[in-house]
Amino acid sequence: MNKVKVNIKINQEYISKAVDANILLSDFLRYNLKLTGTHIGCDTSQCGSCIIMLDDKCVKSCSVLLAQCNNKNVVTVEGLGKIDKLHKVQEAFKNNHGLQCGFCTPGILFSALELSMRKNQRSEYQIRKFLDGNFCRCTGYHNIVKSIKSFLKEKDLVNEKV
Amino acid sequence: MKKFNYHTPKNLNEGYELFKSCDFPQYLAGGMTILPSIKQGLASPSDLIDLSYINEMHGITEHTNSITLGGLTTHNEVAQSNIIINKVPGLASLASEIADNAVRNKGTLGGSICNADPAADYPAALIALNAKLTTNLREIHVKDFFLDMFETSLYEGEILKNITLSKVDYSCYKKFSSQASKYAIVGVFTSVNKKKVKVSITGASNKVFLLDELDNLYLDKAKEFNLDKINFNKYDINNDINASADYRVSLIKSLIKNSLKNLTHE
Ligand SMILES: Cc1cc2nc3c(=O)[nH]c(=O)nc-3n(C[C@H](O)[C@H](O)[C@H](O)COP(=O)(O)OP(=O)(O)OC[C@H]3O[C@@H](n4cnc5c(N)ncnc54)[C@H](O)[C@@H]3O)c2cc1C
Ligand code: FES
Ligand code: FES
């Protein structure tokens, strides 16, 4: 198996490394970097708990090779906010009881963030449709949708001010 | 995961030559089918040849009567392209209903077509839009492309470069999907050009098919056509855990009616 040279930015840190061709991005994050906020919930690329941002787009890190990420920018949940200074989207989930066990939450936060970058996607129906591919086994989704609505509203207000 | 080598050719020729020089190579596009398959032990290539650095396989171009999409165009790029939204809205809506957002950010048009899953969405659009597929070696008309489930007329190592679709006056895709995967249990693509109809169906059989009975009928005739008269036996409709053949036939009829209903006689 050949080694592949990758230059990658993860949560603002540059990493330059020759890696095995068969390493999944999710495994690299979890086992090599100990960034265990990215979860693995399935073997079938369906659950969405491993979703991270790759160049500002949500991808399932369990289904991307690290080798495919050369010259790309990765953000994981560890790069969003800190315990004493949460990201707005995290705050919205905290305030609206948008999580119970929290297993699905990192993936859902990134879906919420990508949704917030889209124009004209604000209705409850559109939010629920956008969450196809993010499985939550606890909340029944109701408070997740509520959290995302509140985040989008706040974001619109901030945008209006700018 | 199984071990393999990884390559990044910069053009079609380099990719093709690499393919011929490896033991059991496979191309990698968005990876949304091949990587889950490798993880589950369903595929074990010796080499993965990543096509994503081949520039001529990217992008969407409009011509007078047609549109060309690079094989590497992602599902979300198709769904969000202004050209596609304005000129073939049925295709934009089809792409926006494939899988989920994270899969749509990676999965590609070319990958979906080459994989030829009988429940995939794009094949229906290709048939109803008279697609022409251009590879590194030749041009293939879509009617000669899909042979059976997961089987196409591509040669070993042949690379699908781009897909050219006819512009039509009206296009629409309606699907009834599996809730877990979003794959089509039945998907119906309807196109109308110069008042004539084409209807193709995916998900229902081992491969996508054109519904002969409605083909090239004028729109008003198609609307009046009694779908109960069609003998679906000849289309070998699937009977499986997702749906019985009878249920699929019933879905086909209602999705066609729904698609044609809102069209005027103009
Ligand atoms: C959870 C989930 C849900 C899904 N739901 C749907 C759905 O609802 N509808 C649907 O249609 N699909 C669905 N898919 C499949 C998805 O659309 C895939 O993206 C697509 O089938 C494969 O595209 P890819 O670019 O990821 O190809 P890859 O996985 O990279 O490649 C697939 C195969 O095609 C070959 N290949 C790829 N590109 C080329 C090329 N240009 N020339 C020659 N050979 C090539 C590869 O060698 C490989 O064998 C789903 C997938 C997942 C994981
Ligand atoms: S772990 Fe389930 S989609 Fe990635
Ligand atoms: S909060 Fe437990 S899975 Fe979503």
Side-chain angles (χ1 to χ4, degrees), chain A residues 43-93:
Chain A
D43 267 340
T44 49
S45 311
Q46 283 178 311
C47 76
S49 54
C50 64
I51 289 178
I52 51 96
M53 281 255 176
L54 187 67
D55 284 351
D56 286 336
K57 292 201 169 85
C58 287
V59 301
K60 294 180 176 175
S61 63
C62 73
S63 303
V64 177
L65 298 173
L66 178 59
Q68 289 174 282
C69 302
N70 191 25
N71 295 324
K72 295 200 191 301
N73 180 21
V74 172
V75 184
T76 71
V77 70
E78 291 87 349
L80 270 187
K82 296 275 164 279
I83 298 282
D84 50 353
K85 194 176 183 312
L86 293 179
H87 186 283
K88 290 272 181 246
V89 70
Q90 290 168 313
E91 246 168 37
F93 274 70

Side-chain angles (χ1 to χ4, degrees), chain B residues 145-208:
Chain B
F145 188 80
F146 295 107
L147 301 182
D148 205 337
M149 55 163 76
F150 302 108
E151 198 183 332
T152 70
S153 58
L154 287 177
Y155 302 136
E156 273 292 296
E158 192 171 7
I159 303 173
L160 176 58
K161 180 177 146 198
N162 61 41
I163 297 95
T164 300
L165 305 168
S166 309
K167 284 186 193 163
V168 291
D169 299 328
Y170 172 84
S171 63
C172 152
Y173 183 65
K174 296 216 181 275
K175 85 165 154 177
F176 187 85
S177 53
S178 145
Q179 278 314 296
S181 72
K182 297 288 157 185
Y183 273 107
I185 289 173
V186 169
V188 173
F189 198 99
T190 308
S191 73
V192 182
N193 204 26
K194 305 207 168 68
K195 296 184 192 168
K196 285 186 177 173
V197 172
K198 263 193 191 318
V199 175
S200 57
I201 293 159
T202 188
S205 183
N206 278 359
K207 65 169 191 170
V208 60

Side-chain angles (χ1 to χ4, degrees), chain A residues 98-105 108 135-140 144:
Chain A
L99 57 146
Q100 288 178 28
C101 79
F103 193 86
C104 67
T105 314
I108 293 193
F135 294 3
C136 175
R137 296 291 86 141
C138 301
T139 63
I144 292 177

Side-chain angles (χ1 to χ4, degrees), chain A residues 1-2 4 21-22 43-46 51 57-60 62-63 65 67-68 114 118 129-130 132-133, chain B residues 1-6 28 32 35-36 39-40 76 80 97 100-103 105-106 180-182:
Chain A
M1 181 166 59
N2 66 346
V4 185
N22 68 346
D43 267 340
T44 49
S45 311
Q46 283 178 311
I51 289 178
K57 292 201 169 85
C58 287
V59 301
K60 294 180 176 175
C62 73
S63 303
L65 298 173
Q68 289 174 282
E114 186 171 341
R118 303 275 176 91
K129 260 193 101 153
F130 204 79
D132 264 348
Chain B
M1 220 172 30
K2 282 256 174 66
K3 291 185 175 166
F4 47 77
N5 297 311
Y6 172 84
L28 171 67
M32 290 298 102
L35 292 175
K39 280 168 66 180
Q40 293 183 2
N76 263 343
Q80 291 164 14
E97 304 259 315
D100 57 63
N101 178 58
V103 170
N105 277 335
K106 275 262 146 200
S181 72
K182 297 288 157 185

Side-chain angles (χ1 to χ4, degrees), chain B residues 24-39:
Chain B
F24 300 105
Q26 270 193 297
Y27 291 120
L28 171 67
M32 290 298 102
T33 295
I34 187 73
L35 292 175
S37 307
I38 296 174
K39 280 168 66 180

